[in-house]
Amino acid sequence: MSSANAELVARGRDVFPGGSLGTFVLPEDLDMVIARGAGSRVYDADGREFIDFVLGSGPMILGHAPPSVVEAVQSQIQRGNSYYAMNEPAIQLAEKIRSAVPCAEKVKFCGSGSEATFYAMRLARAATGKPKVLKFEGAYHGHHDYVMMSVTPSATRNETYPVAIPDTAGIPSVVRDQVLVAPLNDLAATRELLEKNADELAAVIIEPQCRLIDPQPGFLEGLRRITKQLGIVLIFDEVVTGFRLAWGGAQEFYGVTPDVACYGKIIGGGYPLAAIAGRADILELSNPRTKAKEPRNAYVSGTLNGNPLAATAGLATLIELEKPGTYDRLNSIGTRMREGLRKIAAGKGIAAQVLGAGPMANIYFTPEPIVDYRSLLKHKSQMASALGRELLAHGIFTHLSAKMYMSLAHSDEDIDTALQAIDVILDAK
Ligand SMILES: Cc1ncc(COP(=O)(O)O)c(C=O)c1O
């Protein structure tokens, strides 16, 4: 193999563990280095074109290099990259978030979705004076120690709730003891855990549509009611759903307002920017001007927080998303993909569940409805990874072990091309 792509893949493997920027790896024989993105496409270093359903793991909801975002960033970049101090793009972006998000009385920026969930939990502990948090089994909220718990516990480790199982080496056991785990969509079991541990629980964190699994009717509403009764902060992780399921995110989509919500991905327009938004009395605990007189003051800060370049990209993205018809289009493209997948599976007699809402979809090969992590574990993951591999060989870039993201740049033809490839690949199985 002597191509620009092969050479870069080899250099990446040499310098990075596993040749990966994180945990995302492609099959060895199909590995590639992305050279550029445009609209719904990415291109590798040899110029090969792929329809992109990874979309930078979600931020690129307008597609790659959208002209209005490029233009806004080019204009801001002339004025400097970063000031640390307050700046107009940060103010405009925070105002835009507040105008869209039901719970957002105040906003605080940070650098990544993981930082947002980390700070939201710190603020909840500061607000309540209680130490513990409850998360749901199978839920991913980023990479810090408090949430890398029971994200992918193995089927054989059928521990009793609420014991948390660390997903990575290197987490101190004292942290594990501060995290409780509940079964998603089981309100009775969750209520029991919350009532039993109310004196110690600062927060419940939930991704409202966790791993594309729909909340069962009444589940989010029940959580809202119980947490309010027990003085526990309800945190929605809207890193994926924010500005994607609807302009007001999952809060608008499901009609349930949490105390605090975490944002990332879309609001940075592909740059490192995330946010915590929520009740003023909770967010105000991070007010640096009241530090001396507020013993519950919580530290929330970082060198690049509210970076003007990232805020400009995020704002330009939200301005596009706010235009009329945007969410109808995002829903219709997602529906086209989901219905297409269902039709293909049914036509071939393959037992499958197609999950997702808005511009997101995924197919799981299992006959049983997926309502929580344990039912999701029953799917044939090898079949999904084989499909992902074959799709890449067909020029379609997906992350099927997570989800397929669609953008405003995807055309109906892009979806149909992907569906045709899936049809052909599943025929050969
Ligand atoms: C639901 C959810 N929360 C939090 C995060 C963490 O965000 P980041 O990767 O920006 O740290 C992710 C990332 O994929 C996510 O999907």
PDB file of all heavy atoms in Angstrom, residues 57-58 111-117 139-144 147 205-211 237-241 262-265 272-274 403 405, ligand 1:
ATOM      1  N   SER A  57     -19.241  13.147  15.313  1.00  0.00           N
ATOM      2  CA  SER A  57     -19.945  12.662  16.505  1.00  0.00           C
ATOM      3  C   SER A  57     -21.040  13.647  16.938  1.00  0.00           C
ATOM      4  O   SER A  57     -21.330  13.794  18.129  1.00  0.00           O
ATOM      5  CB  SER A  57     -18.989  12.368  17.668  1.00  0.00           C
ATOM      6  OG  SER A  57     -19.682  11.666  18.668  1.00  0.00           O
ATOM      7  N   GLY A  58     -21.621  14.307  15.963  1.00  0.00           N
ATOM      8  CA  GLY A  58     -22.852  15.055  16.248  1.00  0.00           C
ATOM      9  C   GLY A  58     -22.875  16.560  16.088  1.00  0.00           C
ATOM     10  O   GLY A  58     -23.938  17.127  15.871  1.00  0.00           O
ATOM     11  N   GLY A 111     -15.792  23.670  28.215  1.00  0.00           N
ATOM     12  CA  GLY A 111     -15.125  23.266  26.979  1.00  0.00           C
ATOM     13  C   GLY A 111     -15.641  22.017  26.302  1.00  0.00           C
ATOM     14  O   GLY A 111     -15.422  21.818  25.101  1.00  0.00           O
ATOM     15  N   SER A 112     -16.318  21.129  27.032  1.00  0.00           N
ATOM     16  CA  SER A 112     -16.778  19.870  26.422  1.00  0.00           C
ATOM     17  C   SER A 112     -18.019  19.385  27.144  1.00  0.00           C
ATOM     18  O   SER A 112     -18.300  19.824  28.270  1.00  0.00           O
ATOM     19  CB  SER A 112     -15.682  18.799  26.523  1.00  0.00           C
ATOM     20  OG  SER A 112     -15.517  18.425  27.882  1.00  0.00           O
ATOM     21  N   GLY A 113     -18.723  18.456  26.520  1.00  0.00           N
ATOM     22  CA  GLY A 113     -19.915  17.887  27.148  1.00  0.00           C
ATOM     23  C   GLY A 113     -19.573  17.221  28.472  1.00  0.00           C
ATOM     24  O   GLY A 113     -20.348  17.283  29.429  1.00  0.00           O
ATOM     25  N   SER A 114     -18.401  16.609  28.540  1.00  0.00           N
ATOM     26  CA  SER A 114     -17.980  15.953  29.791  1.00  0.00           C
ATOM     27  C   SER A 114     -17.801  16.984  30.901  1.00  0.00           C
ATOM     28  O   SER A 114     -18.198  16.754  32.044  1.00  0.00           O
ATOM     29  CB  SER A 114     -16.658  15.216  29.584  1.00  0.00           C
ATOM     30  OG  SER A 114     -16.807  14.239  28.600  1.00  0.00           O
ATOM     31  N   GLU A 115     -17.201  18.102  30.553  1.00  0.00           N
ATOM     32  CA  GLU A 115     -17.053  19.163  31.568  1.00  0.00           C
ATOM     33  C   GLU A 115     -18.429  19.650  32.019  1.00  0.00           C
ATOM     34  O   GLU A 115     -18.636  19.954  33.188  1.00  0.00           O
ATOM     35  CB  GLU A 115     -16.282  20.353  30.993  1.00  0.00           C
ATOM     36  CG  GLU A 115     -14.795  20.177  30.968  1.00  0.00           C
ATOM     37  CD  GLU A 115     -14.124  21.414  30.381  1.00  0.00           C
ATOM     38  OE1 GLU A 115     -14.400  22.539  30.822  1.00  0.00           O
ATOM     39  OE2 GLU A 115     -13.316  21.233  29.454  1.00  0.00           O
ATOM     40  N   ALA A 116     -19.349  19.732  31.081  1.00  0.00           N
ATOM     41  CA  ALA A 116     -20.690  20.234  31.431  1.00  0.00           C
ATOM     42  C   ALA A 116     -21.364  19.314  32.447  1.00  0.00           C
ATOM     43  O   ALA A 116     -21.936  19.779  33.437  1.00  0.00           O
ATOM     44  CB  ALA A 116     -21.548  20.393  30.177  1.00  0.00           C
ATOM     45  N   THR A 117     -21.286  17.987  32.233  1.00  0.00           N
ATOM     46  CA  THR A 117     -21.938  17.077  33.195  1.00  0.00           C
ATOM     47  C   THR A 117     -21.186  17.092  34.529  1.00  0.00           C
ATOM     48  O   THR A 117     -21.783  17.007  35.597  1.00  0.00           O
ATOM     49  CB  THR A 117     -22.053  15.638  32.642  1.00  0.00           C
ATOM     50  OG1 THR A 117     -20.751  15.094  32.385  1.00  0.00           O
ATOM     51  CG2 THR A 117     -22.884  15.588  31.377  1.00  0.00           C
ATOM     52  N   ALA A 139     -26.158   4.588  30.409  1.00  0.00           N
ATOM     53  CA  ALA A 139     -26.128   5.987  29.950  1.00  0.00           C
ATOM     54  C   ALA A 139     -24.701   6.507  29.896  1.00  0.00           C
ATOM     55  O   ALA A 139     -23.924   6.293  30.828  1.00  0.00           O
ATOM     56  CB  ALA A 139     -26.953   6.861  30.891  1.00  0.00           C
ATOM     57  N   TYR A 140     -24.381   7.220  28.817  1.00  0.00           N
ATOM     58  CA  TYR A 140     -23.072   7.847  28.662  1.00  0.00           C
ATOM     59  C   TYR A 140     -23.210   9.345  28.888  1.00  0.00           C
ATOM     60  O   TYR A 140     -24.044   9.995  28.254  1.00  0.00           O
ATOM     61  CB  TYR A 140     -22.527   7.586  27.244  1.00  0.00           C
ATOM     62  CG  TYR A 140     -21.159   8.194  27.027  1.00  0.00           C
ATOM     63  CD1 TYR A 140     -20.044   7.672  27.673  1.00  0.00           C
ATOM     64  CD2 TYR A 140     -20.978   9.294  26.201  1.00  0.00           C
ATOM     65  CE1 TYR A 140     -18.776   8.232  27.499  1.00  0.00           C
ATOM     66  CE2 TYR A 140     -19.717   9.864  26.013  1.00  0.00           C
ATOM     67  CZ  TYR A 140     -18.624   9.323  26.671  1.00  0.00           C
ATOM     68  OH  TYR A 140     -17.380   9.881  26.496  1.00  0.00           O
ATOM     69  N   HIS A 141     -22.412   9.856  29.792  1.00  0.00           N
ATOM     70  CA  HIS A 141     -22.440  11.298  30.050  1.00  0.00           C
ATOM     71  C   HIS A 141     -21.051  11.908  29.962  1.00  0.00           C
ATOM     72  O   HIS A 141     -20.774  12.929  30.606  1.00  0.00           O
ATOM     73  CB  HIS A 141     -23.021  11.580  31.444  1.00  0.00           C
ATOM     74  CG  HIS A 141     -24.422  11.082  31.640  1.00  0.00           C
ATOM     75  ND1 HIS A 141     -25.495  11.597  30.960  1.00  0.00           N
ATOM     76  CD2 HIS A 141     -24.924  10.096  32.427  1.00  0.00           C
ATOM     77  CE1 HIS A 141     -26.605  10.965  31.333  1.00  0.00           C
ATOM     78  NE2 HIS A 141     -26.284  10.039  32.214  1.00  0.00           N
ATOM     79  N   GLY A 142     -20.149  11.280  29.203  1.00  0.00           N
ATOM     80  CA  GLY A 142     -18.801  11.816  29.084  1.00  0.00           C
ATOM     81  C   GLY A 142     -17.792  10.930  29.786  1.00  0.00           C
ATOM     82  O   GLY A 142     -18.108   9.804  30.181  1.00  0.00           O
ATOM     83  N   HIS A 143     -16.589  11.472  29.961  1.00  0.00           N
ATOM     84  CA  HIS A 143     -15.481  10.598  30.340  1.00  0.00           C
ATOM     85  C   HIS A 143     -14.921  10.790  31.742  1.00  0.00           C
ATOM     86  O   HIS A 143     -13.939  10.187  32.106  1.00  0.00           O
ATOM     87  CB  HIS A 143     -14.354  10.758  29.305  1.00  0.00           C
ATOM     88  CG  HIS A 143     -14.026  12.193  29.022  1.00  0.00           C
ATOM     89  ND1 HIS A 143     -13.457  13.000  29.975  1.00  0.00           N
ATOM     90  CD2 HIS A 143     -14.216  12.956  27.920  1.00  0.00           C
ATOM     91  CE1 HIS A 143     -13.293  14.210  29.455  1.00  0.00           C
ATOM     92  NE2 HIS A 143     -13.755  14.220  28.219  1.00  0.00           N
ATOM     93  N   HIS A 144     -15.539  11.661  32.566  1.00  0.00           N
ATOM     94  CA  HIS A 144     -14.952  11.867  33.901  1.00  0.00           C
ATOM     95  C   HIS A 144     -15.370  10.745  34.858  1.00  0.00           C
ATOM     96  O   HIS A 144     -16.255   9.946  34.562  1.00  0.00           O
ATOM     97  CB  HIS A 144     -15.293  13.258  34.444  1.00  0.00           C
ATOM     98  CG  HIS A 144     -16.745  13.554  34.574  1.00  0.00           C
ATOM     99  ND1 HIS A 144     -17.489  13.178  35.656  1.00  0.00           N
ATOM    100  CD2 HIS A 144     -17.612  14.190  33.727  1.00  0.00           C
ATOM    101  CE1 HIS A 144     -18.734  13.583  35.484  1.00  0.00           C
ATOM    102  NE2 HIS A 144     -18.835  14.185  34.324  1.00  0.00           N
ATOM    103  N   VAL A 147     -19.072   9.676  35.940  1.00  0.00           N
ATOM    104  CA  VAL A 147     -20.069   9.152  34.992  1.00  0.00           C
ATOM    105  C   VAL A 147     -19.586   7.939  34.189  1.00  0.00           C
ATOM    106  O   VAL A 147     -20.380   7.305  33.512  1.00  0.00           O
ATOM    107  CB  VAL A 147     -20.574  10.249  34.024  1.00  0.00           C
ATOM    108  CG1 VAL A 147     -21.463  11.235  34.761  1.00  0.00           C
ATOM    109  CG2 VAL A 147     -19.433  10.959  33.322  1.00  0.00           C
ATOM    110  N   ILE A 205     -29.021  12.406  37.035  1.00  0.00           N
ATOM    111  CA  ILE A 205     -28.674  12.840  35.681  1.00  0.00           C
ATOM    112  C   ILE A 205     -29.244  11.836  34.688  1.00  0.00           C
ATOM    113  O   ILE A 205     -29.122  10.623  34.883  1.00  0.00           O
ATOM    114  CB  ILE A 205     -27.151  13.028  35.504  1.00  0.00           C
ATOM    115  CG1 ILE A 205     -26.855  13.595  34.105  1.00  0.00           C
ATOM    116  CG2 ILE A 205     -26.353  11.753  35.744  1.00  0.00           C
ATOM    117  CD1 ILE A 205     -25.462  14.177  33.946  1.00  0.00           C
ATOM    118  N   ILE A 206     -29.876  12.359  33.649  1.00  0.00           N
ATOM    119  CA  ILE A 206     -30.467  11.479  32.634  1.00  0.00           C
ATOM    120  C   ILE A 206     -30.343  12.123  31.256  1.00  0.00           C
ATOM    121  O   ILE A 206     -30.494  13.341  31.111  1.00  0.00           O
ATOM    122  CB  ILE A 206     -31.951  11.156  32.950  1.00  0.00           C
ATOM    123  CG1 ILE A 206     -32.512  10.184  31.905  1.00  0.00           C
ATOM    124  CG2 ILE A 206     -32.814  12.419  33.060  1.00  0.00           C
ATOM    125  CD1 ILE A 206     -33.831   9.532  32.286  1.00  0.00           C
ATOM    126  N   GLU A 207     -30.044  11.281  30.276  1.00  0.00           N
ATOM    127  CA  GLU A 207     -30.143  11.732  28.892  1.00  0.00           C
ATOM    128  C   GLU A 207     -31.589  11.436  28.501  1.00  0.00           C
ATOM    129  O   GLU A 207     -32.004  10.269  28.506  1.00  0.00           O
ATOM    130  CB  GLU A 207     -29.168  10.960  27.986  1.00  0.00           C
ATOM    131  CG  GLU A 207     -29.098  11.557  26.602  1.00  0.00           C
ATOM    132  CD  GLU A 207     -28.211  10.772  25.641  1.00  0.00           C
ATOM    133  OE1 GLU A 207     -27.786   9.652  25.981  1.00  0.00           O
ATOM    134  OE2 GLU A 207     -27.976  11.272  24.530  1.00  0.00           O
ATOM    135  N   PRO A 208     -32.390  12.463  28.188  1.00  0.00           N
ATOM    136  CA  PRO A 208     -33.835  12.236  28.038  1.00  0.00           C
ATOM    137  C   PRO A 208     -34.176  11.160  27.000  1.00  0.00           C
ATOM    138  O   PRO A 208     -35.156  10.433  27.152  1.00  0.00           O
ATOM    139  CB  PRO A 208     -34.374  13.601  27.624  1.00  0.00           C
ATOM    140  CG  PRO A 208     -33.355  14.575  28.101  1.00  0.00           C
ATOM    141  CD  PRO A 208     -32.029  13.879  28.031  1.00  0.00           C
ATOM    142  N   GLN A 209     -33.356  11.087  25.926  1.00  0.00           N
ATOM    143  CA  GLN A 209     -33.533   9.949  25.016  1.00  0.00           C
ATOM    144  C   GLN A 209     -32.207   9.209  25.022  1.00  0.00           C
ATOM    145  O   GLN A 209     -31.318   9.441  24.216  1.00  0.00           O
ATOM    146  CB  GLN A 209     -33.878  10.425  23.601  1.00  0.00           C
ATOM    147  CG  GLN A 209     -34.404   9.303  22.756  1.00  0.00           C
ATOM    148  CD  GLN A 209     -34.404   9.631  21.281  1.00  0.00           C
ATOM    149  OE1 GLN A 209     -33.425  10.107  20.728  1.00  0.00           O
ATOM    150  NE2 GLN A 209     -35.512   9.356  20.630  1.00  0.00           N
ATOM    151  N   CYS A 210     -32.087   8.320  26.004  1.00  0.00           N
ATOM    152  CA  CYS A 210     -30.808   7.691  26.309  1.00  0.00           C
ATOM    153  C   CYS A 210     -30.445   6.648  25.250  1.00  0.00           C
ATOM    154  O   CYS A 210     -31.189   5.681  25.062  1.00  0.00           O
ATOM    155  CB  CYS A 210     -30.937   7.046  27.683  1.00  0.00           C
ATOM    156  SG  CYS A 210     -29.466   6.255  28.242  1.00  0.00           S
ATOM    157  N   ARG A 211     -29.319   6.869  24.568  1.00  0.00           N
ATOM    158  CA  ARG A 211     -28.891   5.942  23.505  1.00  0.00           C
ATOM    159  C   ARG A 211     -30.007   5.686  22.494  1.00  0.00           C
ATOM    160  O   ARG A 211     -30.211   4.559  22.046  1.00  0.00           O
ATOM    161  CB  ARG A 211     -28.496   4.590  24.087  1.00  0.00           C
ATOM    162  CG  ARG A 211     -27.201   4.587  24.831  1.00  0.00           C
ATOM    163  CD  ARG A 211     -26.871   3.162  25.127  1.00  0.00           C
ATOM    164  NE  ARG A 211     -25.674   3.079  25.933  1.00  0.00           N
ATOM    165  CZ  ARG A 211     -24.688   2.231  25.691  1.00  0.00           C
ATOM    166  NH1 ARG A 211     -24.764   1.389  24.688  1.00  0.00           N
ATOM    167  NH2 ARG A 211     -23.648   2.208  26.457  1.00  0.00           N
ATOM    168  N   ASP A 237     -29.037  15.675  30.495  1.00  0.00           N
ATOM    169  CA  ASP A 237     -27.862  15.722  29.631  1.00  0.00           C
ATOM    170  C   ASP A 237     -28.376  15.892  28.203  1.00  0.00           C
ATOM    171  O   ASP A 237     -28.864  14.947  27.589  1.00  0.00           O
ATOM    172  CB  ASP A 237     -27.062  14.423  29.789  1.00  0.00           C
ATOM    173  CG  ASP A 237     -25.855  14.365  28.861  1.00  0.00           C
ATOM    174  OD1 ASP A 237     -25.773  15.194  27.935  1.00  0.00           O
ATOM    175  OD2 ASP A 237     -25.021  13.478  29.055  1.00  0.00           O
ATOM    176  N   GLU A 238     -28.290  17.126  27.708  1.00  0.00           N
ATOM    177  CA  GLU A 238     -28.788  17.440  26.357  1.00  0.00           C
ATOM    178  C   GLU A 238     -27.622  17.641  25.381  1.00  0.00           C
ATOM    179  O   GLU A 238     -27.761  18.370  24.396  1.00  0.00           O
ATOM    180  CB  GLU A 238     -29.669  18.700  26.405  1.00  0.00           C
ATOM    181  CG  GLU A 238     -30.965  18.509  27.191  1.00  0.00           C
ATOM    182  CD  GLU A 238     -32.203  18.827  26.359  1.00  0.00           C
ATOM    183  OE1 GLU A 238     -32.218  18.528  25.143  1.00  0.00           O
ATOM    184  OE2 GLU A 238     -33.158  19.371  26.943  1.00  0.00           O
ATOM    185  N   VAL A 239     -26.493  17.022  25.700  1.00  0.00           N
ATOM    186  CA  VAL A 239     -25.326  17.172  24.825  1.00  0.00           C
ATOM    187  C   VAL A 239     -25.669  16.697  23.397  1.00  0.00           C
ATOM    188  O   VAL A 239     -25.282  17.323  22.413  1.00  0.00           O
ATOM    189  CB  VAL A 239     -24.114  16.415  25.416  1.00  0.00           C
ATOM    190  CG1 VAL A 239     -22.962  16.347  24.431  1.00  0.00           C
ATOM    191  CG2 VAL A 239     -23.659  17.086  26.723  1.00  0.00           C
ATOM    192  N   VAL A 240     -26.431  15.614  23.302  1.00  0.00           N
ATOM    193  CA  VAL A 240     -26.861  15.112  21.992  1.00  0.00           C
ATOM    194  C   VAL A 240     -28.188  15.744  21.562  1.00  0.00           C
ATOM    195  O   VAL A 240     -28.342  16.211  20.434  1.00  0.00           O
ATOM    196  CB  VAL A 240     -26.995  13.567  22.024  1.00  0.00           C
ATOM    197  CG1 VAL A 240     -27.736  13.046  20.796  1.00  0.00           C
ATOM    198  CG2 VAL A 240     -25.607  12.931  22.116  1.00  0.00           C
ATOM    199  N   THR A 241     -29.157  15.783  22.478  1.00  0.00           N
ATOM    200  CA  THR A 241     -30.520  16.172  22.092  1.00  0.00           C
ATOM    201  C   THR A 241     -30.708  17.688  21.944  1.00  0.00           C
ATOM    202  O   THR A 241     -31.620  18.134  21.250  1.00  0.00           O
ATOM    203  CB  THR A 241     -31.538  15.654  23.133  1.00  0.00           C
ATOM    204  OG1 THR A 241     -31.117  16.101  24.433  1.00  0.00           O
ATOM    205  CG2 THR A 241     -31.626  14.147  23.140  1.00  0.00           C
ATOM    206  N   CYS A 262     -27.284  20.159  30.375  1.00  0.00           N
ATOM    207  CA  CYS A 262     -25.915  20.220  29.844  1.00  0.00           C
ATOM    208  C   CYS A 262     -25.970  20.223  28.325  1.00  0.00           C
ATOM    209  O   CYS A 262     -26.713  19.429  27.724  1.00  0.00           O
ATOM    210  CB  CYS A 262     -25.126  18.989  30.298  1.00  0.00           C
ATOM    211  SG  CYS A 262     -25.094  18.821  32.076  1.00  0.00           S
ATOM    212  N   TYR A 263     -25.189  21.088  27.728  1.00  0.00           N
ATOM    213  CA  TYR A 263     -25.138  21.212  26.269  1.00  0.00           C
ATOM    214  C   TYR A 263     -23.716  21.030  25.777  1.00  0.00           C
ATOM    215  O   TYR A 263     -22.759  21.305  26.497  1.00  0.00           O
ATOM    216  CB  TYR A 263     -25.676  22.592  25.826  1.00  0.00           C
ATOM    217  CG  TYR A 263     -27.148  22.653  26.067  1.00  0.00           C
ATOM    218  CD1 TYR A 263     -27.638  22.958  27.324  1.00  0.00           C
ATOM    219  CD2 TYR A 263     -28.032  22.288  25.069  1.00  0.00           C
ATOM    220  CE1 TYR A 263     -28.990  22.921  27.586  1.00  0.00           C
ATOM    221  CE2 TYR A 263     -29.387  22.251  25.313  1.00  0.00           C
ATOM    222  CZ  TYR A 263     -29.855  22.565  26.572  1.00  0.00           C
ATOM    223  OH  TYR A 263     -31.188  22.502  26.815  1.00  0.00           O
ATOM    224  N   GLY A 264     -23.572  20.604  24.509  1.00  0.00           N
ATOM    225  CA  GLY A 264     -22.254  20.468  23.891  1.00  0.00           C
ATOM    226  C   GLY A 264     -22.492  20.333  22.401  1.00  0.00           C
ATOM    227  O   GLY A 264     -23.486  20.842  21.869  1.00  0.00           O
ATOM    228  N   LYS A 265     -21.642  19.635  21.720  1.00  0.00           N
ATOM    229  CA  LYS A 265     -21.800  19.316  20.299  1.00  0.00           C
ATOM    230  C   LYS A 265     -22.314  20.514  19.473  1.00  0.00           C
ATOM    231  O   LYS A 265     -21.555  21.386  19.123  1.00  0.00           O
ATOM    232  CB  LYS A 265     -22.677  18.079  20.135  1.00  0.00           C
ATOM    233  CG  LYS A 265     -22.041  16.843  20.846  1.00  0.00           C
ATOM    234  CD  LYS A 265     -22.585  15.544  20.379  1.00  0.00           C
ATOM    235  CE  LYS A 265     -22.168  14.374  21.267  1.00  0.00           C
ATOM    236  NZ  LYS A 265     -20.956  13.696  20.875  1.00  0.00           N
ATOM    237  N   PRO A 272     -14.593  23.532  20.303  1.00  0.00           N
ATOM    238  CA  PRO A 272     -14.765  23.061  21.688  1.00  0.00           C
ATOM    239  C   PRO A 272     -15.509  24.080  22.547  1.00  0.00           C
ATOM    240  O   PRO A 272     -14.911  25.028  23.040  1.00  0.00           O
ATOM    241  CB  PRO A 272     -13.327  22.876  22.200  1.00  0.00           C
ATOM    242  CG  PRO A 272     -12.432  23.127  21.049  1.00  0.00           C
ATOM    243  CD  PRO A 272     -13.205  23.874  20.013  1.00  0.00           C
ATOM    244  N   LEU A 273     -16.797  23.878  22.681  1.00  0.00           N
ATOM    245  CA  LEU A 273     -17.610  24.741  23.536  1.00  0.00           C
ATOM    246  C   LEU A 273     -18.812  23.937  24.020  1.00  0.00           C
ATOM    247  O   LEU A 273     -19.423  23.191  23.257  1.00  0.00           O
ATOM    248  CB  LEU A 273     -18.085  25.979  22.761  1.00  0.00           C
ATOM    249  CG  LEU A 273     -18.823  27.025  23.601  1.00  0.00           C
ATOM    250  CD1 LEU A 273     -18.452  28.438  23.172  1.00  0.00           C
ATOM    251  CD2 LEU A 273     -20.333  26.856  23.530  1.00  0.00           C
ATOM    252  N   ALA A 274     -19.112  24.065  25.295  1.00  0.00           N
ATOM    253  CA  ALA A 274     -20.262  23.375  25.884  1.00  0.00           C
ATOM    254  C   ALA A 274     -20.847  24.302  26.938  1.00  0.00           C
ATOM    255  O   ALA A 274     -20.295  25.380  27.193  1.00  0.00           O
ATOM    256  CB  ALA A 274     -19.819  22.054  26.495  1.00  0.00           C
ATOM    257  N   LYS A 403     -24.769   5.731  16.895  1.00  0.00           N
ATOM    258  CA  LYS A 403     -25.978   6.152  16.187  1.00  0.00           C
ATOM    259  C   LYS A 403     -25.583   6.799  14.868  1.00  0.00           C
ATOM    260  O   LYS A 403     -24.434   7.202  14.692  1.00  0.00           O
ATOM    261  CB  LYS A 403     -26.791   7.149  17.023  1.00  0.00           C
ATOM    262  CG  LYS A 403     -25.982   8.363  17.495  1.00  0.00           C
ATOM    263  CD  LYS A 403     -26.797   9.289  18.366  1.00  0.00           C
ATOM    264  CE  LYS A 403     -27.006   8.839  19.780  1.00  0.00           C
ATOM    265  NZ  LYS A 403     -25.920   9.176  20.731  1.00  0.00           N
ATOM    266  N   TYR A 405     -26.071  10.016  12.649  1.00  0.00           N
ATOM    267  CA  TYR A 405     -26.525  11.402  12.693  1.00  0.00           C
ATOM    268  C   TYR A 405     -26.796  11.885  11.275  1.00  0.00           C
ATOM    269  O   TYR A 405     -26.022  11.617  10.356  1.00  0.00           O
ATOM    270  CB  TYR A 405     -25.436  12.300  13.269  1.00  0.00           C
ATOM    271  CG  TYR A 405     -25.241  12.238  14.769  1.00  0.00           C
ATOM    272  CD1 TYR A 405     -24.085  11.687  15.320  1.00  0.00           C
ATOM    273  CD2 TYR A 405     -26.185  12.777  15.638  1.00  0.00           C
ATOM    274  CE1 TYR A 405     -23.878  11.677  16.697  1.00  0.00           C
ATOM    275  CE2 TYR A 405     -25.984  12.767  17.015  1.00  0.00           C
ATOM    276  CZ  TYR A 405     -24.832  12.217  17.535  1.00  0.00           C
ATOM    277  OH  TYR A 405     -24.631  12.217  18.885  1.00  0.00           O
TER     278      TYR A 405
HETATM  279  C1  LIG B   1     -25.079  12.199  25.996  1.00  0.00           C
HETATM  280  C2  LIG B   1     -23.654  12.664  26.056  1.00  0.00           C
HETATM  281  N1  LIG B   1     -23.227  13.342  27.133  1.00  0.00           N
HETATM  282  C3  LIG B   1     -21.974  13.801  27.234  1.00  0.00           C
HETATM  283  C4  LIG B   1     -21.051  13.579  26.242  1.00  0.00           C
HETATM  284  C5  LIG B   1     -19.647  14.064  26.394  1.00  0.00           C
HETATM  285  O1  LIG B   1     -19.366  15.091  25.517  1.00  0.00           O
HETATM  286  P1  LIG B   1     -17.846  15.391  25.075  1.00  0.00           P
HETATM  287  O2  LIG B   1     -17.434  14.259  24.199  1.00  0.00           O
HETATM  288  O3  LIG B   1     -17.945  16.709  24.381  1.00  0.00           O
HETATM  289  O4  LIG B   1     -17.044  15.473  26.318  1.00  0.00           O
HETATM  290  C6  LIG B   1     -21.448  12.880  25.096  1.00  0.00           C
HETATM  291  C7  LIG B   1     -20.486  12.626  23.997  1.00  0.00           C
HETATM  292  O5  LIG B   1     -20.740  11.943  23.049  1.00  0.00           O
HETATM  293  C8  LIG B   1     -22.764  12.395  25.006  1.00  0.00           C
HETATM  294  O6  LIG B   1     -23.189  11.690  23.945  1.00  0.00           O
END
